[in-house]
Amino acid sequence: LVRLLHGRERELRDCHGIQFHVTGIASRRLGWIADPAGLSVSLLDSAAVSARPPAASRDLTNVRDWLRVARADVLFEATSLNVENGQPARDHIRAALLGGAHAITANKGPVVHAYRELRDLAKNAGRQFLFESAVMDGVPIFSLFRDNLPVLHLRGFRGILNSTTNIILSEMEAGSSFAASLAKAQALGVAETDASYDIDGWDAAVKVAALATVLMGIPTTPDRISRQGIRELSADAMRAAKQSGRRYKLVCRAERVGDAVEARVQPEILPSTDPMAQLDGSSSIICFETDIFPNLVITENNPGLDATAYGMLADFVRAAKSDPRSDHTRLPNRPRQA
Ligand SMILES: NC(=O)c1ccc[n+]([C@@H]2O[C@H](COP(=O)([O-])OP(=O)(O)OC[C@H]3O[C@@H](n4cnc5c(N)ncnc54)[C@H](OP(=O)(O)O)[C@@H]3O)[C@@H](O)[C@H]2O)c1
């Protein structure tokens, strides 16, 4: 994300009137590091930042003080997924919104566990809570419905939303072992920190819950989604299916039933004519069933990690442009602090 921000720095300034400094970075290992004057990219890329943190970081022990010292206008939150309660991302985002910063996350946890609370908090604070990268790595899904498809009725959707299992299934069909296939997904950086979240269908279930919660307006937590992962699938079964012109895929489905949503994640054997069967590698697909567009399909072919970063950057532009403190029609006097 930092590399992408700096790569697009001139376009952000010249085309959108947005200037920024990175004034803070934090992780479990690094601790809370802040410098309101700005941290250099080379420092962020190296271990030096934790070995010799800026003086302003001394004594920082929590997210509230860190945001205050960094004088943050925008928080980018990208901690690991916590399926049970969305923490610590929920607390990080809440602290940002209460402290007057926009909150942008790639983390699905706070979306399924605290969407309404954080949305309302953002609205009351006049800030943005944005999460485009949480599902399909930054492909504009949430903003598509929010900004471009007003009063459209979403009846349901189906899709393949977990890259790690899609890579594993493709590799195993081609003869690789389960362990080697998982190692490939991990080397590409797409697997969750705890890969059992992918393999057991939790990541896909959280994405389904996030889409149902936000796009269908039905608060849904992952434990309410019928879920079966890919552990029980054998390589022999997958190869046999492929020889008969069919493929196993971990398929997500959700359907509105009255005021509720019925949803499931499970391996399905698909005919080769199904667009979902043609998906390989880290690709994702989603088919929305709406009252106007019966089958609105979005496919993302083999995205890299920069796609997730791009979703956060696009949210950053949305947040900056919505901010009454900035006048993006001319160069702002004070750079945004990210
Ligand atoms: N990678 C993708 O393709 C992708 C795509 C879309 C969405 N996402 C989402 O983006 C988020 C990050 O993914 P990732 O692949 O970058 O994960 P990752 O490689 O595991 O990185 C997670 C980061 O969060 C930090 N962290 C974890 N728990 C923390 C805590 N309690 N306090 C402070 N820092 C903490 C870690 O710090 P330490 O290293 O210091 O422990 C690490 O820097 C996840 O929620 C994931 O679901 C990822």
Side-chain angles (χ1 to χ4, degrees):
L1 172 63
V2 173
R3 273 194 291 275
L4 189 63
L5 277 168
H6 281 279
R8 305 287 156 102
E9 194 164 8
R10 190 188 299 173
E11 284 168 77
L12 286 169
R13 187 190 62 221
D14 295 349
C15 304
H16 299 281
I18 297 169
Q19 291 179 283
F20 63 89
H21 292 307
V22 179
T23 59
I25 181 166
S27 86
R28 274 179 302 214
R29 279 173 297 170
L30 292 173
W32 305 99
I33 291 168
D35 187 344
L39 297 157
S40 76
V41 190
S42 57
L43 189 66
L44 291 174
D45 260 355
S46 75
V49 72
S50 55
R52 285 197 300 122
S57 303
R58 265 182 227 132
D59 305 327
L60 286 181
T61 57
N62 62 68
V63 64
R64 281 180 311 283
D65 291 344
W66 172 68
L67 289 165
R68 182 179 45 75
V69 171
R71 293 168 53 202
D73 293 317
V74 180
L75 168 75
F76 293 103
E77 214 288 342
T79 56
S80 317
L81 173 64
N82 174 332
V83 170
E84 283 82 29
N85 57 23
Q87 292 289 22
R90 280 168 74 170
D91 285 346
H92 295 163
I93 292 168
R94 194 182 291 120
L97 295 171
L98 288 171
H102 303 285
I104 293 168
T105 188
N107 193 331
K108 303 163 276 293
V111 181
V112 294
H113 289 289
Y115 172 62
R116 289 192 170 181
E117 176 205 335
L118 296 172
R119 178 200 62 186
D120 293 348
L121 195 57
K123 194 172 175 201
N124 291 337
R127 299 291 175 266
Q128 299 280 328
F129 166 48
L130 298 170
F131 40 81
E132 195 62 87
S133 288
V135 177
M136 280 181 85
D137 317 304
V139 168
I141 289 180
F142 294 109
S143 56
L144 174 72
F145 278 80
R146 189 184 58 231
D147 302 337
N148 298 299
L149 298 174
V151 299
L152 191 74
H153 295 178
L154 179 59
R155 293 177 175 149
F157 58 85
R158 64 195 181 100
I160 295 173
L161 298 174
N162 179 263
S163 305
T164 300
T165 47
N166 208 46
I167 291 170
I168 292 174
L169 295 179
S170 303
E171 291 290 309
M172 285 177 74
E173 262 178 358
S176 291
S177 68
F178 181 88
S181 308
L182 172 59
K184 180 165 182 183
Q186 287 172 321
L188 288 170
V190 297
E192 286 296 330
T193 315
D194 178 350
S196 63
Y197 278 176
D198 297 305
I199 295 157
D200 295 329
W202 278 114
D203 174 77
V206 182
K207 286 173 175 161
V208 171
L211 293 170
T213 300
V214 179
L215 300 185
M216 298 173 106
I218 303 170
T220 309
T221 45
D223 55 321
R224 285 174 43 200
I225 289 168
S226 165
R227 179 184 49 79
Q228 188 190 333
I230 64 163
R231 273 187 209 277
E232 308 302 323
L233 286 181
S234 73
D236 286 348
M238 271 182 273
R239 280 195 295 274
K242 186 142 196 212
Q243 273 160 14
S244 66
R246 297 177 300 162
R247 298 184 89 184
Y248 274 103
K249 293 288 171 190
L250 186 67
V251 176
C252 305
R253 291 183 188 272
E255 188 187 353
R256 186 189 292 276
V257 181
D259 291 337
V261 62
E262 278 181 11
R264 63 178 189 269
V265 172
Q266 64 182 27
E268 290 184 23
I269 189 162
L270 302 173
S272 58
T273 47
D274 189 316
M276 293 197 292
Q278 286 146 28
L279 217 69
D280 274 311
S282 64
S283 308
S284 308
I285 184 169
I286 189 153
C287 316
F288 290 108
E289 186 193 338
T290 76
D291 55 345
I292 307 292
F293 306 107
N295 191 26
L296 178 62
V297 180
I298 301 175
T299 306
E300 178 192 34
N301 274 318
N302 282 316
L305 288 182
D306 53 353
T308 302
Y310 176 77
M312 299 185 90
L313 183 148
D315 278 343
F316 175 51
V317 173
R318 284 182 198 106
K321 287 192 160 187
S322 75
D323 194 324
R325 296 170 297 183
S326 72
D327 178 359
H328 60 269
T329 57
R330 62 181 171 80
L331 290 185
N333 295 327
R334 179 177 167 232
R336 317 310 306 151
Q337 312 269 335

